[in-house]
Amino acid sequence: METLIQPKVLKGFRDFLPNAEIQRADLIEKLTKVYRSFGFVPIDTPVLEYTEILLRKSNGETEKQVFRFEDNGHRDVAMRFDLTVPFARFTAEHKSELYFPFKRYHIAKVWRGEKPQAGRYREFVQCDFDTVGSDSAAADFEILSLMKTALNAIGVDKIHIHVNHRGIFNRFLARIELADKSEDILRIVDKLAKIGRDEVKTQLEEISGDSAKAEEILTYIAGGKDFDDTLSLLINLAGGEADDTKRMKEIHEMMKAAGIESTYVFDPSITRGLDYYTGIVYETFLDDLKSIGSVSSGGRYDNLAGLYMKDKVPGVGASIGLDRLLAGLEQLGLSAKKGSYLDCEIYCLDDSLSVHYQKVASELRAAGIAVEVFPEAKKMAQQYALTEAKGVKWGILIKAEDAEKNVLTLKNLSTREQFIGISTKDAIERIK
């Protein structure tokens, strides 16, 4: 007898049953609608890229997370670990076919070989939106505004978006003569929430070789009591006003003009570990579940596309980590479960009426109602159990005498209320 293979998935990967996949698909539909309302258009890129494309500008941490291998053509290839680097390649390759500023959204899977944990997987969906071709406060603000609007659209209201500017931090590091170690310092500071202040200070002292400088960095990332106070502190520590601090002031004015400034926190500890960011950076946290980490993040990356072409194309964007967000919503009890997209089920009381059931179903679908016909005249308990599992709200029962009169019984499966002997037209109006 042939040995059966045990069905299993790799660690950090998952199957999605209908309840979970419907919820994910619903959120993607809502996000897509918001992206389009801001003028963003969809693109797609390959799962596999040449490794040199993905890793030409990355640090050792990124290389450790990439799924990389030699394909059958002996090419060094890797699976995309985010959607931003492939977008930079896309922009360079199709520059003559695009119009600028170009605003795109891309919703797709990415892969990272990092340690799986709550809300963090090796295969997950990112929902990206970026603007390239404009280095302006307006472009920066639009991304920040879109982040809030998109999350609110999927029912996530209790959030705060933490913003910072890498340029100001780089000026500060240059003033304390640590500019040559900026990438290492940025990565250490980015771990503040994970490893704590004391461990960050220890690592900063090791890199800088100066406990006073380490303390000054900690003062910098601690910030002030509010947006304006923090900005004043950073201007002082970075050596004065410059384009980067003026940009943050302008963005803050736009936030206030739009009446959404309370959602944003100026947080100098937000640095984003990826080294392609050059300007404003941001991360989004659920107020009631900060432990799960950022559910939406991004920043300005003016030099990224320059890796693949001579022309400099400024860019700014963000990504919503859909799977981490869904894990957070589930922990908070905010995830809505449903087992189908059906509005109505037509029960099969008599196999001889199957043709009539399909006729009624067609009339309902023509009216925009999602409906299915139970295929066999099984016990009603079994038919009811199926519709309950699927979360169907309405049921239709048609006996032989009903079919002759062209009427039906409509039942609200939640309240058990019944409407007996009504027409298909009346049923459509009640369902709608």
Side-chain angles (χ1 to χ4, degrees):
M1 183 178 175
E2 187 176 347
T3 303
L4 293 175
I5 298 172
Q6 182 183 353
K8 57 184 177 180
V9 296
L10 293 165
K11 189 176 182 180
F13 294 76
R14 298 164 297 160
D15 288 326
F16 285 85
L17 291 171
N19 276 335
E21 186 59 17
I22 286 172
Q23 184 184 15
R24 188 163 69 161
D26 283 349
L27 294 187
I28 288 174
E29 286 181 17
K30 292 175 183 176
L31 291 174
T32 298
K33 185 176 181 180
V34 174
Y35 294 164
R36 292 174 179 175
S37 75
F38 277 70
F40 288 70
V41 293
I43 68 161
D44 197 10
T45 63
V47 169
L48 285 180
E49 298 267 9
Y50 287 104
T51 299
E52 65 175 358
I53 294 289
L54 294 182
L55 298 181
R56 185 175 171 187
K57 187 173 179 62
S58 66
N59 53 60
E61 291 297 317
T62 301
E63 291 187 32
K64 292 176 187 176
Q65 295 178 4
V66 170
F67 285 100
R68 178 180 182 178
F69 57 93
E70 184 180 285
D71 71 3
N72 292 339
H74 305 293
R75 290 165 293 218
D76 185 9
V77 298
M79 299 172 76
R80 62 190 180 208
F81 60 87
D82 75 357
L83 299 176
T84 304
V85 177
F87 179 47
R89 190 269 309 153
F90 173 95
T91 302
E93 194 161 355
H94 301 284
K95 184 172 182 288
S96 62
E97 303 165 65
L98 302 176
Y99 43 85
F100 295 93
F102 179 64
K103 305 196 313 188
R104 82 82 160 95
Y105 70 88
H106 189 184
I107 301 175
K109 287 184 176 181
V110 298
W111 293 264
R112 294 182 190 175
E114 55 190 352
K115 184 178 179 181
Q117 52 186 284
R120 189 184 292 270
Y121 310 98
R122 288 174 172 166
E123 177 185 67
F124 53 97
V125 174
Q126 284 193 333
C127 308
D128 279 24
F129 40 101
D130 297 75
T131 298
V132 292
S134 174
D135 180 9
S136 66
D140 289 342
F141 170 74
E142 183 174 59
I143 294 294
L144 288 167
S145 177
L146 178 47
M147 289 170 71
K148 173 181 169 56
T149 305
L151 289 169
N152 289 169
I154 59 177
V156 183
D157 298 314
K158 298 174 71 174
I159 57 168
H160 277 90
I161 300 173
H162 292 232
V163 302
N164 190 23
H165 197 296
R166 288 272 283 261
I168 306 173
F169 194 46
N170 289 337
R171 280 203 298 128
F172 163 68
L173 293 179
R175 189 186 67 76
I176 61 174
E177 300 179 340
L178 289 175
D180 58 328
K181 298 177 180 178
S182 63
E183 288 189 13
D184 291 328
I185 292 172
L186 283 168
R187 279 192 286 275
I188 291 171
V189 170
D190 195 45
K191 297 176 183 177
L192 180 65
K194 297 178 183 177
I195 64 178
R197 186 182 190 278
D198 291 343
E199 180 58 27
V200 166
K201 184 178 180 181
T202 299
Q203 293 187 24
L204 288 174
E205 287 176 348
E206 290 175 1
I207 284 183
S208 66
D210 187 327
S211 108
K213 288 184 178 180
E215 193 60 48
E216 194 168 359
I217 293 172
L218 288 169
T219 299
Y220 181 99
I221 64 177
K225 64 180 184 290
D226 57 29
F227 201 110
D228 291 325
D229 188 50
T230 298
L231 186 55
S232 297
L233 172 69
L234 301 195
I235 289 172
N236 181 53
L237 290 173
E241 186 86 88
D243 288 344
D244 44 32
T245 51
K246 290 177 182 176
R247 171 66 62 89
M248 292 304 290
K249 282 184 177 179
E250 190 173 357
I251 291 170
H252 192 216
E253 288 302 312
M254 291 178 180
M255 291 174 181
K256 290 191 286 187
I260 58 175
E261 73 274 15
S262 62
T263 299
Y264 304 89
V265 178
F266 199 157
D267 182 354
S269 70
I270 299 296
T271 62
R272 304 291 296 135
L274 294 169
D275 55 10
Y276 52 65
Y277 291 115
T278 57
I280 189 170
V281 288
Y282 25 79
E283 294 187 353
T284 307
F285 300 96
L286 303 176
D287 292 351
D288 297 329
L289 195 64
K290 292 182 180 178
S291 60
I292 203 169
S294 175
V295 296
S296 177
S297 57
R300 177 162 286 281
Y301 48 90
D302 289 342
N303 298 325
L304 187 64
L307 293 170
Y308 315 110
M309 61 182 180
K310 293 181 181 179
D311 297 337
K312 182 179 178 181
V313 179
V316 61
S319 175
I320 294 175
L322 192 68
D323 295 281
R324 185 182 294 188
L325 178 59
L326 283 169
L329 294 177
E330 187 171 347
Q331 287 189 49
L332 293 171
L334 299 176
S335 56
K337 299 284 186 182
K338 64 178 183 178
S340 76
Y341 291 106
L342 291 171
D343 299 312
C344 181
E345 181 87 14
I346 298 177
Y347 295 111
C348 185
L349 306 185
D350 186 337
D351 286 328
S352 68
L353 297 176
S354 291
V355 172
H356 185 74
Y357 294 150
Q358 296 297 341
K359 173 180 176 290
V360 174
S362 295
E363 292 172 355
L364 292 172
R365 292 190 190 108
I369 292 170
V371 59
E372 73 174 4
V373 177
F374 200 92
E376 302 167 71
K378 290 189 175 182
K379 292 179 179 179
M380 286 308 300
Q382 290 179 266
Q383 298 192 46
Y384 281 131
L386 179 71
T387 49
E388 184 178 356
K390 291 183 176 183
V392 183
K393 183 177 180 181
W394 296 95
I396 287 179
L397 301 101
I398 305 174
K399 299 176 183 178
E401 55 266 34
D402 294 329
E404 290 177 9
K405 298 175 184 176
N406 210 24
V407 296
L408 54 84
T409 294
L410 178 66
K411 184 174 183 178
N412 186 316
L413 300 176
S414 300
T415 65
R416 306 298 188 213
E417 184 180 10
Q418 294 191 108
F419 305 93
I420 300 171
I422 64 173
S423 67
T424 303
K425 182 180 178 182
D426 286 341
I428 289 170
E429 291 176 357
R430 291 185 182 279
I431 292 171
K432 283 193 168 184

